[in-house]
């Protein structure tokens, strides 16, 4: 084990709490008194079912979820949902509105448009993807089967800090990178989906939350394993579920409850990101071009005013144990992902490093530009 602490700022798979990994290690060879690893348990048996039900119940409690919503633990990642949303929600000639706010919403649209007629209700392109278009700019189709948003643009560093009003059109959200980072008004959504590997845990697991009245529109050719209704009715055991990933997600839900739940997480996440944005905004070497109101609390994206220093910044940070700070390949620059499991000390260490780097390269005194309350 390295003696210097290491902080993983990767966008995904992302950092997980040490406590959770330690618990998984302790239970790896034998789960409680079962005499076997969770990995070895039959999914139809009582032990695994108890793990699955506990995870569902803890997630419901965390979210304060109304009773007319189902939680599905599916496979295939968020990208699979890009196609499965239209397959599950729209007839063959169905239409849907999408908000184009960055890299991931464009991926969702590109894939979705293979299965439905997709309209862009508003696009961040007109603002060079530096903000989320305000609702006044949206042109919504009242006949659309759903309206899709990406609540946090992982690659662009933009996040909704408000909820749109889509009238009677169900709101659908890709929450992959900010799910469980703050409380969610579930009742405002028809469907929410999130790949687990950003803010919850291991890859492969996709959490889909569906309102009951949206379970019955799947096209007949929708693969049964990906059919929301089939999976809801078989309680997620139509096929072999991701047993170990569900177990790990369950440990994360427990951890979140111990942290004080989603309101407490939201407060901590706000503190962490505010401190980092302040360090960026008060420095001459770093710049964040996103509109302040729309900045992501999860993925802080910024640039060096001298872009030729970016590679050196990332490499030096890496040597200091501040890992994976390079921006998304489509965007470049620097990205610090501050998911739930990133401790405040990690953010402090990053801010200290940024100050030192700035003073080395721009002759800036670190203390004056990077004062941060602790
Ligand atoms: C990472 C990410 C995805 C893709 O997730 P996969 O599980 O790799 O398919 C989709 N949407 C958002 C917002 C993401 O951050």
């Amino acid at each position: 084990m390295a003696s210097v602490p290491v902080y993983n700022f990767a966008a995904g798979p992302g950092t997980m709490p040490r406590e959770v990994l330690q618990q998984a290690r302790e239970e790896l060879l034998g789960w409680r008194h079962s005499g076997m690893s969770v990995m070895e348990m039959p999914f139809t048996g009582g032990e695994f079912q108890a793990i699955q039900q506990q995870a569902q119940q803890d997630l419901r409690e965390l979210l304060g979820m109304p009773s007319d919503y189902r939680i599905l633990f599916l496979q295939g990642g968020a990208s699979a949902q890009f196609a499965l949303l239209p397959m599950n929600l729209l007839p063959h000639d169905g239409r849907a509105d999408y908000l184009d706010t960055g890299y991931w919403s464009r991926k969702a649209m590109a894939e979705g448009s293979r299965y439905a007629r997709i309209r862009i209700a508003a696009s961040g392109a007109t603002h060079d993807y530096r903000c989320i278009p305000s609702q006044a700019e949206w042109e919504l189709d009242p006949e659309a089967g759903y309206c899709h948003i990406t609540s946090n643009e992982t690659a662009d560093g933009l996040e909704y800090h408000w909820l749109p009003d889509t009238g009677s059109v169900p709101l659908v959200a890709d929450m992959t990178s900010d799910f469980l980072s703050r409380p969610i008004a579930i009742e405002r959504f028809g469907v929410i989906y999130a790949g687990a590997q950003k803010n919850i845990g291991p890859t492969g697991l996709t959490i889909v939350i569906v309102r009951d009245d949206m379970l019955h529109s799947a096209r007949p050719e929708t693969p049964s394993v990906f059919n929301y209704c089939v999976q809801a009715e078989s309680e997620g055991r139509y096929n072999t579920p991701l047993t170990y990933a569900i177990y790990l997600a369950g440990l994360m839900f427990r951890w979140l409850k111990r942290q004080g739940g989603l309101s407490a997480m939201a407060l901590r996440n706000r503190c962490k990101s505010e401190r980092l944005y302040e360090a960026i905004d008060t420095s001459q070497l770093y710049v964040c071009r996103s509109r302040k109101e729309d900045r992501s609390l999860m993925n802080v994206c910024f640039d060096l005013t001298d872009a030729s220093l970016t590679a050196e910044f990332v490499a030096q940070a890496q040597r200091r144990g501040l890992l994976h700070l390079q921006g998304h390949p489509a965007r470049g620059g620097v990205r610090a992902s501050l998911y739930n499991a990133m401790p405040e000390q990690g953010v402090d260490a990053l801010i200290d490093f940024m100050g030192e780097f700035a003073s080395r390269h721009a002759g800036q005194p670190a203390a004056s530009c990077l004062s941060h309350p602790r």
Side-chain angles (χ1 to χ4, degrees):
M1 212 31 59
S3 53
V4 181
V6 157
Y7 298 106
N8 177 10
F9 291 94
T15 187
M16 287 179 67
R18 219 176 157 67
E19 225 179 290
V20 166
L21 296 175
Q22 267 161 350
Q23 189 180 348
R25 180 175 68 181
E26 275 155 30
E27 295 178 336
L28 183 65
L29 299 185
W31 183 79
R32 300 193 185 166
H33 300 295
S34 68
M36 66 178 101
S37 174
V38 175
M39 271 183 241
E40 305 168 294
M41 288 175 183
F43 73 92
T44 47
E47 279 153 345
F48 175 71
Q49 290 195 15
I51 290 171
Q52 188 186 19
Q53 275 158 14
Q54 188 68 54
Q56 295 238 6
Q57 192 186 317
D58 287 335
L59 183 55
R60 275 189 179 276
E61 278 174 34
L62 278 170
L63 291 167
M65 192 181 296
S67 59
D68 59 333
Y69 284 79
R70 305 293 185 96
I71 299 170
L72 309 178
F73 293 135
L74 302 184
Q75 311 197 23
S79 300
Q81 295 303 316
F82 295 163
L84 293 164
L85 286 171
M87 292 187 99
N88 272 283
L89 304 179
L90 298 177
H92 288 105
D93 59 351
R95 306 204 300 260
D97 278 348
Y98 277 65
L99 270 296
D100 168 22
T101 47
Y103 179 84
W104 283 110
S105 52
R106 290 197 299 275
K107 294 272 276 198
M109 282 189 287
E111 182 72 356
S113 63
R114 301 174 62 209
Y115 302 91
R117 286 185 289 158
I118 280 177
R119 239 179 98 262
I120 298 180
S123 174
T126 47
H127 308 279
D128 201 18
Y129 295 105
R130 288 179 188 185
C131 67
I132 305 273
S134 64
Q135 173 117 37
E137 294 174 55
W138 295 26
E139 278 177 40
L140 291 171
D141 171 4
E143 305 284 301
Y146 62 85
C147 176
H148 181 280
I149 64 169
T150 307
S151 60
N152 183 66
E153 286 283 1
T154 324
D156 306 80
L158 295 170
E159 186 173 15
Y160 285 77
H161 299 292
W162 51 282
L163 280 182
D165 178 3
T166 53
S168 59
V169 175
L171 184 60
V172 169
D174 175 0
M175 289 198 184
T176 295
S177 49
D178 66 349
F179 188 62
L180 303 186
S181 70
R182 55 182 176 177
I184 306 169
I186 300 283
E187 66 283 357
R188 299 282 301 274
F189 295 88
V191 175
I192 290 169
Y193 64 101
Q197 76 274 18
K198 306 280 164 74
N199 204 24
I200 312 166
T203 59
L205 175 66
T206 319
I207 294 174
V208 180
I209 296 171
V210 194
R211 203 172 61 209
D212 282 345
D213 66 308
M214 300 191 65
L215 282 171
H216 306 289
S217 318
R219 298 177 191 176
E221 72 272 20
T222 307
S224 303
V225 294
F226 288 130
N227 182 308
Y228 298 162
C229 189
V230 170
Q231 286 288 12
E233 282 180 353
S234 52
E235 305 197 318
R237 295 191 284 269
Y238 173 81
N239 62 322
T240 311
L242 282 161
T243 52
Y244 198 72
I246 291 169
Y247 156 76
L248 284 177
L251 296 187
M252 282 296 290
F253 302 153
R254 278 284 154 120
W255 179 81
L256 285 167
K257 285 173 83 174
R258 289 198 298 278
Q259 303 303 303
L262 300 189
S263 306
M265 286 324 298
L267 213 84
R268 270 172 55 184
N269 288 328
R270 183 158 289 285
C271 285
K272 286 187 293 182
S273 61
E274 270 178 4
R275 229 185 279 165
L276 183 50
Y277 281 121
E278 192 196 310
I280 295 163
D281 289 339
T282 52
S283 154
Q284 280 158 30
L285 185 63
Y286 310 108
V287 60
C288 171
R289 297 198 167 89
S290 310
R291 180 164 74 180
K292 286 198 171 144
E293 300 91 301
D294 302 324
R295 287 178 176 178
S296 170
L297 308 194
M298 294 285 98
N299 310 97
V300 176
C301 296
F302 62 96
D303 292 289
L304 274 69
T305 46
D306 178 354
S308 70
L309 291 174
T310 307
E312 192 185 332
F313 175 91
V314 171
Q316 281 189 20
Q318 186 94 7
R319 286 198 289 278
R320 290 271 295 263
L322 307 168
L323 310 183
H324 305 302
L325 282 163
Q326 64 279 8
H328 188 279
R331 191 197 165 280
V334 180
R335 170 172 60 180
S337 296
L338 311 180
Y339 296 130
N340 283 337
M342 172 58 63
E344 275 140 54
Q345 297 91 303
V347 179
D348 290 340
L350 174 59
I351 291 172
D352 287 344
F353 167 75
M354 286 166 63
E356 284 168 34
F357 188 89
S359 57
R360 269 202 305 279
H361 288 90
Q364 274 186 310
S368 69
C369 64
L370 295 171
S371 59
H372 49 88
R374 294 197 191 185

